[in-house]
Amino acid sequence: MIRRLSPPLIVFAILVYLFLLGPLVIVIGAALSDTTYLTFPPQGLSLRWFEKIFEMSAFRRTIVTSLQIAFASTTLALLIGIPAAYALNRYRIVLPSWLSTLFVLPVLVPEIVLGFSLLRSVQVGAGVPVLIALLLGHTLIVLPYCVRVISASLASFDFSIEEAAISLGSPPAKTFFTIVLPNVRSGVIAAFILAFITSINDVSVSLFLTGPGISTLPIQILAHVEQFFDPVVASVSVLLMLLTVAVMVVVERTLGLTFLAK
Amino acid sequence: MLKRFAGWTLSGPATFLVVLCLVLPVTATIAATFGSAKGPWALYQAFFESGFRQRVLWRTLEIALITTVVSVVIGFFTAYVVSRAPPRWRSVLIILAVFPLLTGVVVRSFAWLIVLGRNGIANNFFVWLGLEGAPYPMLYTQGSVIIAMIYLFVPLMVLTLVGVLENIPDDVIEAAASLGATQSAIFRQIIFPLAVPGLIVGAVLVFTGSFTSYATPQLLGGDRQMTMGTLLHQRAMVAFDWDGAATVAAIMVVVTLAIVLAMTRIARRLNPMAT
Amino acid sequence: MTATAPLSLANLTAHYGATKVLDDLSLEVGAGELVSLLGASGCGKTTTLRLIAGFLAPTRGSIRLGDTDLTALPAHKRNIGLVFQNYALFPHLSVLDNVAFGLKQRGIATSEREARARRMLDRVGLSALADRLPGALSGGQRQRVALARALVIEPPLLMFDEPLSNLDAKLRIDMRVEIRQLQRANGTTSVFVTHDQEEAFSISDRVAIMDAGRIRQLDTPEVLYQRPANAFVARFVGFENLIDLRVTARDGARVTAEGAGGATVTLDQDQLGAIPDRFVLATRPDGLRVATGETGLPCTLGLRTYLGRAYHYQAETPVGPVTASGPLSQPLEPGGTAWLAPDPEQCCILPPEPA
């Protein structure tokens, strides 16, 4: 196919990409500014706002909490999501059809409504401690990604391979780990990454579940911006962008960049 | 029998979590809105009798609608260019769209704070141009919220539509060309109609996402441009008016559900592939 | 009723990136003639079709249709009817709108183009399905819509890209008869791409057998089948045994030739045509008969397979392994010794292969 695009369309797309990337470049510039207020282009170059992040205990603590919650909720979601995805594919006929809908509910229900409801019923109503409530909330919002992505992998998995292994004498549970799981490896990696990023960036659920002394990084950023207009948040933003880059590199190494296109 | 047992056992923990931590709490929140001593609809009456809250609802709908329309238009043409770009460029463009998508909402909204702020790049530019009255107050306006929302959702739209456009088989486009269709005829008569279902899916994502967002209106709209998301937070966490917050939550759920249902119905009607 | 024109490809060369996929290919298709491009995947047949259609640009060479030079013309101005392997119907348009699509592009008024599309649907027997969407049709019906859509623009050239490969065996044969009848009735010059030899031979006036971006032989099915011009085409049409031979004695029309290991064969030039001093004897399995009469090529019999009309034997001879055939009345046991006699009806003489 001889593909041709008209020049106005190409110019339009270039402008859109400038619009998409410009503000992020500006954040990087602002983070490097030597001024005490946010400005762009940066005036003087300095890394002092990066050092400042780690001098401020609020940021230090919330970065750690965010990473902990992201790791824990993603792991938990995979632990319960992989068997669920497997069951949905393997036992499709005997399970009710609403079950697969149930697992996408956390993305259908507005997150902020979910966050508020968790605060009402789980944290206040049932008296669940802040950290546990936060963990449950995050597990809930990343669960749909785990179930959906792994289901998609399993959908293209030929279950006769599993039956072949069992017929050759491999016990079912062992077969799952030696035969099924390695074949949906890319799905598991993709689910982990998507879930991790979703948890790290979450605002709407964390907003209600963070308590005194326990907060996540995005909530801390929001709180900081309300009071100060200094480049420290720009520096934190740059750190988060570096995390995104790291994630994309991991995806590229393990799954290939074409995976991102899907 | 054994299979049913295995199926339920394996999906049990996830089912349990969703039911216990989502279905029940959200149901409880919505149920609470009918539990007022003044009657089941009293809280809704209060909501719609408050001019302020009504304005918040309309503002949120307006912001969501504008964001959706603009994002769909920008996203469609951009996705068209991406899908037809040479392969190497195509993957670069996709990566460049994925990057902002994976960068959090807070970071991306914050970026506009720097762009539109008093010392931001836009105002610096206006001052440099010597425009009268510069720097302008651009933050905490509906415009600033909408720009940041569009910024938030364009990558999502582009990536959704690139997938849709690439699912249109090459030979269908070639068939059209062999029958005498020009590039623009192919675009209007083949590509656009075939992309309509994808456009609707994307529009639903953008509309519900912007209607229920919190961080962006909070950062760029503040208290002056309150939306349903920020109103819910303000009711719950600042005013400690949990009934009021629950009412806002219930209205958000109803509007979201209504939009999703209406759009899927429209999508089914417009879906060219449906029989 | 339809305009028709001869197609002429001159010295076409094409590349995919750095790979040459078409090598100086020339081909003339007469007005109203149906020529098939036949070959395995990767031989360049589909590339040739896409070059003619304008979806690829040649590195060198020209494409002419009648008096028009198509080489630089964009695809949508070439006015060629194309039938695709996967039908390529527009999934969002009704059968009628699919067929009328080309007429719409030509600015023909709605009422007229609907009338013409309906007439064409009538010809392919699909009038009743005019308002359906393609998704609701069977494979055979889709192929008929694709055919109607290509024919209704009354193109001077029709091209088919493996149009029948997605249909089941019975339908495939019906459809190819139907295609041939429509093509004959319209007298439209046609190019038919396929990898199926039977399909190509049954439908075509002439067949071009392709390999590695070149045409190895272009001729009528009869000539290709009985008198292949080279070893590639011979193997392609089923001459499995290729035996290198050298003439040792000539006696009028009778020629005695010797191969590796001193085996000798006697052949008759009256039956096989002139035999050069060095040549390759090509035979089908049925053209190498097993006999016990101690004349011909000595062999040791191997595996015997039953084919219904005859037995085939894998046989080891001084000139190498061959596949031969023997009568059902006389099954021979593997391991035994026998003699192989060529049947001139199922043999042909090829020039020696360059070393």
Side-chain angles (χ1 to χ4, degrees):
Chain A
M1 182 74 208
I2 299 165
R3 289 162 177 240
R4 268 177 316 171
L5 289 163
S6 65
L9 263 182
I10 294 173
V11 171
F12 176 79
I14 291 171
L15 289 176
V16 170
Y17 271 90
L18 286 179
F19 169 69
L20 287 184
L21 299 170
L24 295 178
V25 172
I26 288 166
V27 170
I28 297 170
L32 295 171
S33 180
D34 202 20
T35 50
T36 55
Y37 55 93
L38 276 167
T39 186
F40 187 90
Q43 289 159 23
L45 282 177
S46 138
L47 286 175
R48 70 180 168 116
W49 294 104
F50 286 91
E51 292 161 20
K52 185 88 179 189
I53 301 171
F54 297 98
E55 285 164 19
M56 296 170 76
S57 65
F59 278 108
R60 255 196 347 250
R61 267 205 323 273
T62 52
I63 287 173
V64 172
T65 310
S66 270
L67 288 172
Q68 283 172 334
I69 292 285
F71 268 114
S73 62
T74 301
T75 309
L76 192 57
L78 283 175
L79 282 178
I80 62 175
I82 293 173
Y86 177 81
L88 283 180
N89 280 276
R90 191 81 176 86
Y91 305 111
R92 189 176 296 282
I93 325 140
V94 295
L95 292 175
S97 57
W98 52 260
L99 199 62
S100 56
T101 317
L102 187 76
F103 296 130
V104 294
L105 270 187
V107 280
L108 287 182
V109 172
E111 258 187 53
I112 191 161
V113 172
L114 176 60
F116 173 60
S117 303
L118 282 168
L119 168 71
R120 275 183 82 244
S121 304
V122 175
Q123 210 180 79
V124 175
V128 172
V130 173
L131 209 55
I132 304 290
L134 205 52
L135 176 64
L136 287 175
H138 277 236
T139 308
L140 212 47
I141 54 169
V142 303
L143 182 66
Y145 297 99
C146 296
V147 175
R148 239 179 0 186
V149 172
I150 293 165
S151 270
S153 288
L154 282 168
S156 56
F157 176 74
D158 179 2
F159 280 104
S160 60
I161 296 170
E162 187 190 22
E163 284 163 2
I166 293 172
S167 77
L168 291 167
S170 166
K174 187 181 165 206
T175 308
F176 178 79
F177 288 103
T178 56
I179 303 294
V180 182
L181 214 48
N183 276 295
V184 295
R185 178 180 149 272
S186 62
V188 175
I189 296 172
F192 185 93
I193 287 164
L194 262 178
F196 189 82
I197 281 282
T198 305
S199 168
I200 281 278
N201 289 327
D202 174 74
V203 175
S204 297
V205 165
S206 314
L207 189 61
F208 295 93
L209 301 179
T210 49
I214 300 176
S215 187
T216 62
L217 185 57
I219 304 300
Q220 169 60 24
I221 293 175
L222 285 178
H224 188 88
V225 169
E226 292 215 333
Q227 295 167 42
F228 311 98
F229 208 61
D230 60 24
V232 98
V233 169
S235 312
V236 177
S237 299
V238 172
L239 286 188
L240 282 169
M241 282 189 242
L242 287 175
L243 177 74
T244 308
V245 171
V247 161
M248 290 176 78
V249 170
V250 170
V251 171
E252 201 267 337
R253 287 283 154 81
T254 52
L255 308 171
L257 271 181
T258 46
F259 199 88
L260 291 174
K262 283 187 253 168
Chain B
M1 190 58 221
L2 207 69
K3 277 188 171 179
R4 178 163 302 166
F5 178 74
W8 278 113
T9 311
L10 290 171
S11 55
T15 311
F16 185 71
L17 178 77
V18 175
V19 170
L20 200 71
C21 292
L22 185 137
V23 177
L24 294 180
V26 172
T27 311
T29 302
I30 292 169
T33 61
F34 299 107
S36 164
K38 291 178 225 147
W41 298 101
L43 287 168
Y44 293 93
Q45 250 163 20
F47 182 92
F48 285 105
E49 271 164 15
S50 153
F52 174 75
R53 292 185 203 178
Q54 250 194 61
R55 262 204 312 285
V56 169
L57 176 59
W58 289 121
R59 180 189 297 128
T60 315
L61 284 170
E62 193 183 334
I63 290 173
L65 194 67
I66 295 172
T67 303
T68 306
V69 171
V70 177
S71 303
V72 165
V73 172
I74 293 180
F76 180 63
F77 286 102
T78 312
Y80 180 71
V81 174
V82 174
S83 70
R84 317 208 89 201
R88 192 150 9 115
W89 271 105
R90 202 187 69 86
S91 40
V92 171
L93 291 175
I94 285 175
I95 290 165
L96 290 181
V98 169
F99 179 70
L101 198 66
L102 293 181
T103 305
V105 175
V106 172
V107 172
R108 284 189 287 159
S109 305
F110 168 73
W112 284 94
L113 220 53
I114 310 180
V115 176
L116 301 174
R118 281 193 80 78
N119 294 306
I121 183 170
N123 269 323
N124 283 351
F125 182 65
F126 295 147
V127 171
W128 181 77
L129 281 180
L131 290 186
E132 200 178 322
Y136 305 110
M138 285 184 289
L139 284 179
Y140 314 119
T141 62
Q142 193 162 322
S144 61
V145 178
I146 290 172
I147 286 184
M149 291 260 202
I150 291 167
Y151 178 71
L152 219 53
F153 288 109
V154 162
L156 182 70
M157 208 63 217
V158 171
L159 291 172
T160 307
L161 289 174
V162 166
V164 171
L165 291 174
E166 283 180 347
N167 275 339
I168 300 175
D170 272 351
D171 62 0
V172 167
I173 292 165
E174 288 176 358
S178 80
L179 292 165
T182 58
Q183 290 276 323
S184 77
I186 291 173
F187 186 82
R188 280 179 287 111
Q189 295 173 35
I190 308 292
I191 293 175
F192 180 73
L194 288 177
V196 164
L199 286 170
I200 291 177
V201 169
V204 170
L205 287 177
V206 174
F207 189 91
T208 54
S210 47
F211 183 73
T212 62
S213 66
Y214 170 79
T216 310
Q218 174 64 26
L219 279 173
L220 294 151
D223 291 342
R224 261 183 272 169
Q225 299 293 330
M226 205 167 258
T227 64
M228 292 295 275
T230 51
L231 177 64
L232 169 53
H233 180 253
Q234 188 256 358
R235 285 286 98 198
M237 306 303 271
V238 182
F240 295 107
D241 167 18
W242 281 24
D243 284 345
T247 313
V248 175
I251 293 171
M252 279 172 99
V253 171
V254 169
V255 171
T256 310
L257 273 181
I259 293 292
V260 171
L261 288 179
M263 292 300 254
T264 36
R265 180 155 296 182
I266 293 172
R268 207 169 300 146
R269 276 245 310 276
L270 288 180
N271 191 342
M273 265 70 106
T275 40
Chain C
M1 65 179 265
T2 311
T4 183
L7 171 73
S8 161
L9 310 182
N11 311 100
L12 279 185
T13 300
H15 292 79
Y16 277 133
T19 343
K20 188 186 271 187
V21 286
L22 219 56
D23 188 4
D24 198 36
L25 179 136
S26 296
L27 172 68
E28 303 282 336
V29 182
E33 191 184 20
L34 193 159
V35 168
S36 284
L37 306 180
L38 174 64
S41 58
C43 71
K45 56 189 195 297
T46 298
T47 306
T48 308
L49 180 130
R50 293 173 65 78
L51 283 168
I52 303 171
F55 301 139
L56 285 174
T59 329
R60 233 189 5 262
S62 70
I63 303 160
R64 297 186 65 84
L65 184 60
D67 299 326
T68 330
D69 186 349
L70 298 183
T71 321
L73 215 57
H76 69 272
K77 290 189 179 151
R78 293 196 181 194
N79 201 23
I80 296 171
L82 258 174
V83 179
F84 291 78
Q85 177 170 13
N86 300 314
Y87 323 128
L89 298 180
F90 309 124
H92 60 301
L93 299 180
S94 69
V95 165
L96 186 70
D97 288 342
N98 259 282
V99 177
F101 185 90
L103 300 172
K104 187 177 177 185
Q105 308 310 317
R106 285 159 178 74
I108 290 164
T110 315
S111 57
E112 194 199 333
R113 69 176 184 247
E114 289 206 351
R116 281 169 66 179
R118 278 188 199 283
R119 270 205 303 280
M120 188 49 76
L121 279 174
D122 211 29
R123 283 185 69 188
V124 297
L126 287 180
S127 316
L129 304 177
D131 298 321
R132 297 266 184 94
L133 286 172
L137 304 184
S138 70
Q141 292 168 336
R142 285 181 208 189
Q143 194 52 277
R144 283 196 173 83
V145 177
L147 191 60
R149 185 177 71 175
L151 284 170
V152 79
I153 59 172
E154 303 186 351
L157 173 67
L158 261 177
M159 297 204 292
F160 301 85
D161 185 7
E162 307 240 8
L164 307 176
S165 59
N166 286 340
L167 303 177
D168 62 50
K170 166 86 173 69
L171 203 54
R172 197 146 60 210
I173 294 170
D174 293 349
M175 276 304 292
R176 89 186 174 212
V177 171
E178 206 165 316
I179 287 177
R180 182 56 160 162
Q181 281 168 344
L182 279 166
Q183 186 264 339
R184 272 274 170 79
N186 285 4
T188 312
T189 311
S190 299
V191 174
F192 192 99
V193 164
T194 179
H195 65 268
D196 182 330
Q197 184 189 326
E198 186 194 315
E199 195 171 289
F201 281 18
S202 67
I203 205 174
S204 314
D205 294 310
R206 287 189 299 157
V207 175
I209 294 183
M210 292 187 65
D211 174 51
R214 283 177 301 156
I215 293 177
R216 303 301 299 257
Q217 190 176 359
L218 169 66
D219 220 315
T220 62
E222 291 83 351
V223 170
L224 287 171
Y225 195 75
Q226 283 155 20
R227 294 282 174 263
N230 51 57
F232 178 84
V233 176
R235 282 203 190 89
F236 198 91
V237 298
F239 290 86
E240 286 181 27
N241 307 313
L242 299 185
I243 304 165
D244 277 305
L245 294 167
R246 186 166 43 81
V247 175
T248 52
R250 291 178 186 269
D251 174 15
R254 289 178 65 79
V255 171
T256 307
E258 190 185 284
T264 60
V265 187
T266 307
L267 300 164
D268 188 339
Q269 293 198 81
D270 287 345
Q271 287 168 315
L272 288 166
I275 298 173
D277 282 347
R278 286 184 57 89
F279 66 100
V280 173
L281 177 70
T283 81
R284 294 198 164 86
D286 288 341
L288 215 49
R289 295 275 164 77
V290 174
T292 43
E294 306 207 359
T295 56
L297 212 54
C299 73
T300 308
L301 294 176
L303 184 70
R304 184 182 73 207
T305 47
Y306 173 69
L307 291 179
R309 55 189 159 78
Y311 286 117
H312 274 187
Y313 296 92
Q314 304 303 315
E316 203 57 52
T317 72
V319 295
V322 296
T323 307
S325 71
L328 290 175
S329 56
Q330 226 182 343
L332 299 172
E333 292 310 311
T337 306
W339 281 264
L340 303 175
D343 171 1
E345 291 281 301
Q346 309 266 8
C347 291
C348 69
I349 304 296
L350 301 174
E353 282 186 78

